Amino acid sequence: MSSQLVIHVPPTEDASTLKSAIKRAARCVALVGVAPVLASFWLSAALVGRGRALESRSQLLSLWPGLTGQYLRRAFLQQILARCHPSATVEFGTFFSQPGAILDENVYIGPRCSLGLVHLERDVLLASNVQIPSGGKTHYFDDPSKPIREQGGERKMVTIGAGAWIGTGAIILAGVGRGTIVAAGSVVTKPLPDNVIAAGVPAKVIRNRFESVETSASDA
């Protein structure tokens, strides 16, 4: 009589359900963990405004490293920002200055970024040290008789389109199209279209993302 080896593999659905349950529990624990920070935020917001209160609290939470820090930051930002999807990831050292910011599904924000009034659409990737203030006119400087700090300014929503990738150290002052790649160290001063690769200071379109390098070189 021949013997047979039978291996029982747990159903994939069961493993997925368990993983989801663990994540939900972790989110609940994180929300409890940031409750004192949330309480201090609302007290401070009543005195100095939501923007300044957010900046100081997000700086505090940015110092918590690892996966724990990711959960704590997300729990806090979900209560404060205009929108923060549960799948968004915010790494160590990153802070926000404007509560009107929006983080959509599967957004990844690398370490040490500084973000103002920004809308990061789904699947956007920000590398480390990316700076996205609230547009390019946060400070006016046209009146020579006044210090710049006294001339005011305006904040404008900067939208980074779905699936865009912003390289390390880039500064984004205008909108970036869907699927567009901005090279490391670039400064975006004018809106970029969808699905292009841009680089430089100021950033200029190098080529379409789906155009071969050989074709681009021959056209030049």
Side-chain angles (χ1 to χ4, degrees), residues 20-35 38 71-72 74-76 78-79:
S20 298
I22 292 173
K23 286 185 176 181
R24 286 195 298 271
R27 292 187 187 114
C28 291
V29 172
L31 183 57
V32 173
V34 298
L38 286 168
Y71 271 89
L72 291 173
R74 183 164 48 221
F76 174 78
Q78 282 185 286
Q79 304 302 314

Side-chain angles (χ1 to χ4, degrees), residues 1-6:
M1 180 180 294
S2 62
S3 60
Q4 294 181 341
L5 177 62
V6 178

